[in-house]
Amino acid sequence: MTETLSEMTENDESIFSSLHCILSPISKATGSATFTLNDSLCTCLLNGPGELRQQQDAINRLQVDITFQARPGSNNTNSTSTKDKLIEQWLETLVHSTVLTEHYPRSQINIVIYEEQNLSGEATILACLCNTLCLTMLDANLPMKYAFAAVPIILHPTKGLLALPKTKDELASTTYFVFVFEITLNETLAMHASGEFDMKTLEQAITIAKPIAGQIFQFYRQELEKRLS
Amino acid sequence: MKELICSTIERNVVLKCIRDRKRLDCRTIDETRPVNIDFRSHPGYVSVTLGQTHVIAQASCRITKPKESRASEGHVRVHLDMSKIPLINLENWKHQEFVQELNGILEQNIRHSNCIDLESLCINAGELVWSIKIDLIVLNNCGNILDCANIATLCSLYHYRLPEVSVHGSDIRVYSSIERRPHPLRILHFPINVLFAFFIDGRYTLIDPHSDEERLMDGFVSISMNQHKEICGIHMGGKLGLKREQIDICKKLAFNKVLELTDRIRQVVLDYYKKLEPITHSQPSIVRIDNDDDDDSNDHNISTTENEDIVLIKPEISPSLIESNVSLLQMPNLNRLSLTEDDPSGTIGNLASEPENDEE
């Protein structure tokens, strides 16, 4: 298990102090990562590619099985809520778009994501989940077309658009965006938005989020370099 | 997902080492792996690692009706979930059997040993009581899930904070953590579990087996003991026939480990609450150390009135977020309950989204 903390650069706009990550905390999984974004913490583990169950049918591509486990006890029952299922489906589209599924026919990968701590609202936790997933896939050495990073942006009633918001700001706002960018061309890969906004705000948010995504990619590079050196 | 098959060569190597009283990870036969306890900002959430075995625990509470035979006692339930890890022993039914066995042992240790004062969970005798549930999730199985899960349960129970409730006649009010600081559970003793693995017809014993050793053991004995030298549970699993002297030796070994771990758990939770910074909703960093334990040897359970000079800061929080503050609280659909002070007429507030299930 390698634990790495990122250094603070002299840049005032550096975000590295709000990002922490631990690679391979779970020894028996093919790949695993724990990622912290401000006040949210997620752990993800990946097993595979392995045998397919007989009922499943994935002849010429990889079968991806994602389970998202919110904090246990928040439901009455043990089953996943509809919101969690939405998150699972969203993440599954991300995985399908980036992993080279044709390289592993008749196999499956199992991904389990646990949300460990969430003091802020939905934006930070969604972004945290995405980034944890990407780091896990990188840790598992799964062949990917590109790495991706998610940036949460909120529309604060008085302070305007804030990227990587602090908990206090996030709880005070009702509108948020989460943009997922990919590393090769820094284009938008996926997005999720909630609340009231107009197209101009959306485009402004995208322009604010792009450089932040670049910094997150730098963070990934740093972590993996530390691990491989 | 299945575990890897244990090859004959692996099996022979491990058994040979055990015969020579050596272990693959260079421990002695009565040495346990280091325990690492980590808390998150949510009360009752703990992540425990015993070597590489990783278990997380989360405590949650509900208000329910008590059993008719025990009208003034609350409930405690423990549930261990091993559905996300590779199948043990390669077969689903063997895996399920194993999970059920562990669940049974944990339940016996926690519930039947009366480590929590259930009467302190009563709100209104005969009508409303607290029901605490501990959800355990195994992240990584490197042997000895039972001990790890047990430590996680105890840490989670000791770490958890129950919301304050006030009863005015027939009106019952539950306060969120901004209004009144939640109080800890009343834990009477800590039943710590120690697992002993037996090999080769019960002739060789190991404490805290690693995953390779656990796969090859004939059977195990798990002894649950507290620091008063009381045995809270004893369980034998697998195919074993043991002499009485062997169990006595196990008990002696277990007692030393129990003392260390009890002190460790207490210390870790107290340290956490001592340095708790104000989190989101500005919980004050005052620690109210209750004298919940009847243990004489514990000197650091002194009341800390000198800490209570920190002002409680109330930020402006929109009312819809208060429900996330009441740590994982589910409420039954009764008219007489009110969640916040602003609603004295007795409506339930925002948490009435889930009607109460039938009493379990």
Side-chain angles (χ1 to χ4, degrees), chain B residues 61 139 240:
Chain B
C61 61
L139 292 184
L240 271 189

Short mmCIF file of all heavy atoms in Angstrom, two decimals, chain B residues 61 139 240:
data_model
loop_
_atom_site.label_atom_id
_atom_site.label_comp_id
_atom_site.label_asym_id
_atom_site.label_seq_id
_atom_site.Cartn_x
_atom_site.Cartn_y
_atom_site.Cartn_z
N CYS B 61 -29.32 4.53 13.95
CA CYS B 61 -30.34 4.34 14.97
C CYS B 61 -31.73 4.55 14.39
O CYS B 61 -31.90 5.27 13.41
CB CYS B 61 -30.12 5.29 16.14
SG CYS B 61 -30.22 7.01 15.67
N LEU B 139 -14.03 -5.24 3.43
CA LEU B 139 -13.42 -4.76 2.19
C LEU B 139 -12.37 -5.71 1.69
O LEU B 139 -12.20 -5.91 0.50
CB LEU B 139 -12.78 -3.39 2.42
CG LEU B 139 -13.73 -2.23 2.70
CD1 LEU B 139 -12.94 -0.95 2.81
CD2 LEU B 139 -14.74 -2.11 1.60
N LEU B 240 -13.18 -30.39 14.80
CA LEU B 240 -12.15 -30.39 15.83
C LEU B 240 -12.56 -31.21 17.03
O LEU B 240 -13.72 -31.25 17.40
CB LEU B 240 -11.93 -28.97 16.36
CG LEU B 240 -10.92 -28.07 15.68
CD1 LEU B 240 -10.76 -26.83 16.52
CD2 LEU B 240 -9.58 -28.76 15.53
#
